[in-house]
Amino acid sequence: MSCPDLKQKIYLYLSGELTSTEKSVFEKHLDQCSACKNTLEEIKQIWDWVEHLSYEKPSLKVKQEILKQARKKKNRFSFPNRLVDWLSHWLLPHPRLSWGVTVSAVTLILVILLLSPFKLGEKEKTIPTELLEWQDDFFAQVDCIDREIDRVGSGELLVSYFSQEYSRSESEDRLSSMSQDLNWIRGEIENLTKTIFGL
Amino acid sequence: MDKKPPDAHLICAYLSGQDRAFEKLFKRYEKPLFSFILRFVGNRENAEDLLQQTWLKVLKGLPKYEERGKFSSWLFGIANNCCIDCVRKKSVTKQDNFINPEKLNSLSSIDSNPDEMFVQNEQKVWLEKALTQLPPEQKQVVLLRLYGEMPFKEIARVLNSPLNTVLGRMHYAVQNLRKILKQQYGEVSRDVLS
């Protein structure tokens, strides 16, 4: 190991991030080079002081305020509230996109509400005739939403919207976050489907 | 012996509706997180505002948080970004009002015997003051290392910077701290410090 190499690795050595091989090469160089040894000692002095700096606590008032916010937020984590939050955050700024997804979602919800008296709570696996008539329509709607989710998730729609307002990397971050939310909604729709049809 | 539940368990418990889980999580990071922010911005009032901002962002992001990395890295990453934004937006005028002025005044002048100067408390006070004088990009590395207890590789990931850049900033920070302390104390005696 040369002296410049050692200087690169001093902080990794002090924080214990060198592998055992790297560490033994490092220490071997130190044994042979007094200049590097002195450099390490100088750095170690400041390092040791920094590592022993004190901790401070926030005021009780601030702590209580943060815990109060946490209790409020906890109530927003139920499915309907999260869905509302998601819709208002992502779709309202983009009217055309919101029309497509919202119309599909509303249609699906109406179908579920119409079908619910026939199925929810029942234990039998047989599906009533009335439900069978709606089944095809229902699954067609689910497929439509699925396709929309894939289309949105692939970024076809979103890149053009986001790139008008945000930088490339911000657009990608938002896209990734939105895809996660959409997949979560897809999961919830699947659960509802299972509940209704007992699948 | 009580085993502390991992952060991920506390997060799940909180998202399932248990307030106490969040309180435990908050308490776990109460001192290191606040100390990080306070040493960064150098002003208690700003630090408390930023602490609230940080936790609000964490609460907003918790449902989407996936355990890709350590929660602490995510938490300190958010705090770091809040501090950087704050420092960029406004100049912090009262930088060292959290250091007890009586402590500073009681320190001997530079002409005194340096050996007497380096008792532990005085040393820490001067170091705290010196830390506030570092540029933000150096300060964040030192503070993430100290209070975030992060390895340098993790710091590089959180800051989205190459490892060598992070190590370089740490090196400059240490050199600057040494320079500032020498200016305060005069020539630093190695024997005293060992």
Side-chain angles (χ1 to χ4, degrees):
Chain A
M1 181 182 278
S2 63
C3 294
D5 287 340
L6 182 127
K7 282 177 182 158
Q8 282 278 315
K9 297 204 186 296
I10 278 179
Y11 297 96
L12 295 176
Y13 173 73
L14 289 171
S15 65
E17 290 177 66
L18 292 181
T19 61
S20 48
T21 313
E22 286 172 331
K23 191 178 167 188
S24 71
V25 169
F26 185 95
E27 287 172 345
K28 198 174 169 187
H29 179 90
L30 281 182
D31 288 340
Q32 295 161 356
C33 179
S34 55
C36 285
K37 198 169 181 182
N38 288 340
T39 303
L40 178 66
E41 284 306 312
E42 285 176 1
I43 289 171
K44 210 171 170 304
Q45 286 167 4
I46 303 289
W47 178 275
D48 286 343
W49 288 353
V50 167
E51 293 272 301
H52 288 93
L53 275 176
S54 58
Y55 287 77
E56 304 279 337
K57 268 176 93 164
S59 65
L60 187 60
K61 186 181 164 196
V62 165
K63 179 178 171 179
Q64 284 170 343
E65 182 57 36
I66 291 169
L67 294 176
K68 185 176 150 194
Q69 290 298 326
R71 282 190 287 274
K72 263 194 212 170
K73 275 276 177 190
K74 178 194 69 168
N75 298 327
R76 299 294 302 170
F77 295 143
S78 60
F79 169 60
N81 283 324
R82 286 181 66 187
L83 185 58
V84 167
D85 284 347
W86 182 84
L87 286 171
S88 53
H89 179 67
W90 286 110
L91 298 186
L92 285 179
H94 306 284
R96 277 186 287 169
L97 175 61
S98 72
W99 271 110
V101 176
T102 306
V103 166
S104 304
V106 167
T107 310
L108 175 64
I109 289 164
L110 283 173
V111 168
I112 290 168
L113 287 173
L114 283 169
L115 293 175
S116 61
F118 298 113
K119 198 60 198 170
L120 285 172
E122 285 185 30
K123 289 182 184 168
E124 301 95 73
K125 296 282 179 183
T126 52
I127 301 172
T129 317
E130 297 88 343
L131 203 65
L132 283 172
E133 286 170 9
W134 285 98
Q135 195 175 11
D136 287 340
D137 277 344
F138 176 81
F139 283 117
Q141 290 295 333
V142 171
D143 283 344
C144 182
I145 289 177
D146 231 13
R147 278 197 303 276
E148 279 296 318
I149 288 172
D150 283 337
R151 190 161 158 247
V152 165
S154 73
E156 284 174 39
L157 280 175
L158 288 179
V159 169
S160 60
Y161 285 115
F162 286 139
S163 61
Q164 290 165 25
E165 291 179 46
Y166 307 109
S167 67
R168 178 89 196 163
S169 62
E170 253 185 356
S171 299
E172 284 168 356
D173 285 345
R174 282 172 179 266
L175 179 65
S176 166
S177 185
M178 192 171 177
S179 292
Q180 285 174 25
D181 286 340
L182 286 168
N183 282 326
W184 169 76
I185 286 179
R186 196 205 310 254
E188 294 295 322
I189 292 172
E190 279 171 10
N191 289 339
L192 277 169
T193 311
K194 283 175 193 166
T195 305
I196 292 167
F197 292 101
L199 297 170
Chain B
M1 190 172 80
D2 279 340
K3 202 178 169 187
K4 283 185 186 171
D7 293 341
H9 289 188
L10 291 175
I11 291 168
C12 276
Y14 167 65
L15 291 175
S16 311
Q18 295 177 40
D19 287 332
R20 294 299 303 269
F22 180 83
E23 214 173 307
K24 283 185 189 169
L25 193 66
F26 177 85
K27 209 171 172 182
R28 188 173 284 180
Y29 292 103
E30 182 182 1
K31 284 186 189 173
L33 186 65
F34 183 68
S35 305
F36 171 87
I37 296 173
L38 182 58
R39 302 260 179 254
F40 204 124
V41 298
N43 174 286
R44 182 165 270 273
E45 201 182 319
N46 286 351
E48 289 189 339
D49 285 342
L50 289 171
L51 183 72
Q52 287 196 67
Q53 265 182 50
T54 301
W55 278 111
L56 283 175
K57 287 187 181 186
V58 166
L59 285 168
K60 197 174 171 188
L62 268 182
K64 298 175 205 166
Y65 170 74
E66 287 176 18
E67 210 184 334
R68 275 183 288 242
K70 285 171 71 176
F71 170 76
S72 60
S73 301
W74 183 57
L75 175 66
F76 277 88
I78 292 174
N80 185 65
N81 289 339
C82 288
C83 290
I84 292 280
D85 287 344
C86 174
V87 164
R88 278 181 191 156
K89 274 179 198 166
K90 52 184 176 183
S91 60
V92 178
T93 51
K94 291 189 272 184
Q95 284 225 355
D96 54 0
N97 66 350
F98 68 92
I99 296 176
N100 189 338
E102 286 176 3
K103 273 193 195 172
L104 286 181
N105 291 337
S106 71
L107 294 178
S108 309
S109 74
I110 224 166
D111 296 328
S112 298
N113 185 345
D115 291 354
E116 289 173 358
M117 293 293 289
F118 284 92
V119 292
Q120 206 170 9
N121 284 342
E122 291 166 331
Q123 176 176 309
K124 276 184 185 169
V125 169
W126 282 115
L127 186 62
E128 286 165 8
K129 192 179 175 198
L131 203 52
T132 63
Q133 295 176 37
L134 289 178
E137 62 275 4
Q138 293 174 19
K139 210 187 301 187
Q140 65 186 3
V141 174
V142 174
L143 295 177
L144 284 172
R145 170 69 210 149
L146 170 61
Y147 293 115
E149 294 183 359
M150 287 186 209
F152 287 104
K153 288 168 190 167
E154 184 64 16
I155 294 173
R157 197 188 66 78
V158 167
L159 298 180
N160 200 26
S161 291
L163 178 61
N164 283 343
T165 304
V166 167
L167 294 173
R169 286 178 187 166
M170 182 71 192
H171 185 65
Y172 284 125
V174 166
Q175 298 301 315
N176 282 335
L177 285 172
R178 198 176 165 80
K179 199 163 59 172
I180 293 166
L181 288 166
K182 270 188 186 177
Q183 282 168 359
Q184 300 293 346
Y185 276 121
E187 194 54 44
V188 171
S189 161
R190 195 172 297 129
D191 292 338
V192 169
L193 298 175
S194 62

